[in-house]
Amino acid sequence: MESYQKVALNKIVMPENNMQGKTCFILNFGPHYRFPIYKRIAEEFDAAFYIGDRGGDILKTFNYEELSGYKRTVKRHNIFYGFYWLGGSVNPIFKNFDRYVMTGEPMCLSNWVILLLAKLFGKETISWTHGWYGREHGIKKWIKSIYFRLHTKCMCYNEYGARLLIEQGIKPENVCVIYNSLDSDKQRQIRNRLTPTEIYRSHFNNDKPVIIYCGRIQRSKKLNLLIEAVARLKSEGIDVNAVLVGKDIEGTDMATIAERLGVQDRVWFYGPCYEEERLGELFYNATMCVSPGNVGLTAIHALTYGCPVITHDDFPNQMPEFEAIRPGVTGDFFKEDSVESLTEKIKNWLNMTLAERESVRQQAYQEIDGKWNIQNQISVLRNIL
């Protein structure tokens, strides 16, 4: 696998323009973690929001009525082979908006109509997108390339996706990086109050290093690899604890795996937790965070509280937030699906001195405070809007 350092974008050209006027945000749906950034957008810009219902999605949505500028919910209609239509999302193109920011992907057919009508009416269209993954091929690659070329600007979640988008022929001046965020302002306040606690000692009755995973517990996260790594370390005479925070949404039954491997007393199935103060405490006191499958916003959550992150190295099949991990600095990458590789990476991070651990903590803070936060996202939007 080609290393991330070889494919990372050296410099993203930030667009500079003086667009003014009303902006319409057409969002495929509104996951709860995005409410803080949308709320700030509503406060900072003259914006209207049309948000999809994303019926049946496993992600919880926020209460759209609480968002200033919210106009209506546009209903998702599944059509065929993953293609869908957001009913009512085309209507705003005929209203008095100067530009349209869309989070939907090429599979959203109503977005194609908006793009074509915007060209006809001389209006701006901005894609808020993952960009290019690096796993695209065949007709999907061709469709995706055309889709992004139709946009005036593309805002990507990370430099990796932006770089690959430019390699597909999108002009660099039409691409920028907006990154991603959680409720960064609130989390920074919590972070400033955190101190070491006995939360893990009181449960495990020992002071062994603690590996945390926080997120949905599902097969794609491959948490069996983490439990197997804990068992492998035990067989080598290295004791560690692991805590899995989250709801098992697919009946993966990780507890049975832990019992079969003889590490049930070293794995704490914490369950779901939605209290940010407690999540901060769990991350802050952990030695490292491990996400054996793709990592997503778990990386941002962990690094926000100074916890280094380990995940797999197959970047085309990662989520954009993998880019916040700098090997040996804010975390590490192991060979995908390899328990041996994961175990070795964990061992490398077990022997830090207190000074080294504090240095990692500060590097994690700098990564989040520099890029992966709401204020930075608003700054990027100011350049465009």
Side-chain angles (χ1 to χ4, degrees), residues 82-306:
F83 288 99
Y84 65 96
W85 182 278
L86 292 179
S89 66
V90 177
N91 294 343
I93 198 69
F94 301 104
K95 298 182 182 295
N96 188 29
F97 296 111
D98 297 295
R99 71 196 65 87
Y100 300 83
V101 178
M102 298 182 290
T103 59
E105 58 276 282
M107 305 300 282
C108 182
L109 297 179
S110 50
N111 277 4
W112 287 87
V113 176
I114 294 168
L115 285 167
L116 295 174
L117 288 174
K119 293 289 185 184
L120 180 64
F121 298 154
K123 296 186 176 186
E124 306 277 348
T125 52
I126 302 161
S127 179
W128 194 337
T129 175
H130 285 192
W132 213 261
Y133 285 101
R135 61 175 184 257
E136 295 84 354
H137 63 276
I139 190 169
K140 288 186 177 180
K141 178 178 180 179
W142 178 73
I143 291 173
K144 197 171 181 179
S145 179
I146 294 173
Y147 179 78
F148 287 123
R149 288 171 188 270
L150 288 173
H151 285 83
T152 310
K153 304 285 182 183
C154 294
M155 301 188 301
C156 297
Y157 288 112
N158 66 2
E159 295 179 8
Y160 172 88
R163 171 62 177 268
L164 295 182
L165 201 59
I166 291 170
E167 290 178 359
Q168 294 302 312
I170 308 300
K171 294 179 180 179
E173 61 268 25
N174 292 340
V175 180
C176 68
V177 182
I178 192 169
Y179 299 99
N180 208 354
S181 69
L182 294 168
D183 195 350
S184 52
D185 294 339
K186 176 182 178 180
Q187 290 172 335
R188 190 177 293 112
Q189 294 174 0
I190 293 172
R191 186 179 80 189
N192 292 337
R193 298 193 296 267
L194 288 173
T195 58
T197 69
E198 297 289 309
I199 188 169
Y200 292 125
R201 179 176 177 79
S202 63
H203 177 83
F204 291 109
N205 295 315
N206 64 50
D207 293 315
K208 303 299 181 183
V210 175
I211 303 168
I212 186 173
Y213 166 83
C214 181
R216 287 170 291 174
I217 297 176
Q218 55 193 128
R219 292 178 184 84
S220 65
K221 297 301 180 180
K222 303 179 181 179
L223 292 169
N224 59 295
L225 296 178
L226 171 56
I227 297 175
E228 290 173 28
V230 171
R232 184 178 289 262
L233 288 166
K234 180 181 178 180
S235 70
E236 296 178 14
I238 303 172
D239 285 330
V240 298
N241 304 313
V243 55
L244 274 58
V245 183
K247 182 178 180 180
D248 189 339
I249 64 173
E250 293 181 351
T252 60
D253 200 11
M254 289 294 139
T256 298
I257 295 175
E259 186 174 357
R260 174 170 56 82
L261 294 174
V263 292
Q264 65 272 18
D265 60 334
R266 288 291 176 261
V267 182
W268 182 8
F269 295 95
Y270 190 95
C273 179
Y274 305 103
E275 182 186 348
E276 193 61 36
E277 293 269 1
R278 176 52 61 93
L279 290 170
E281 180 185 17
L282 289 165
F283 277 121
Y284 186 88
N285 286 278
T287 307
M288 70 192 78
C289 172
V290 171
S291 183
N294 55 32
V295 68
L297 282 164
T298 294
I300 306 307
H301 211 173
L303 294 173
T304 293
Y305 296 114

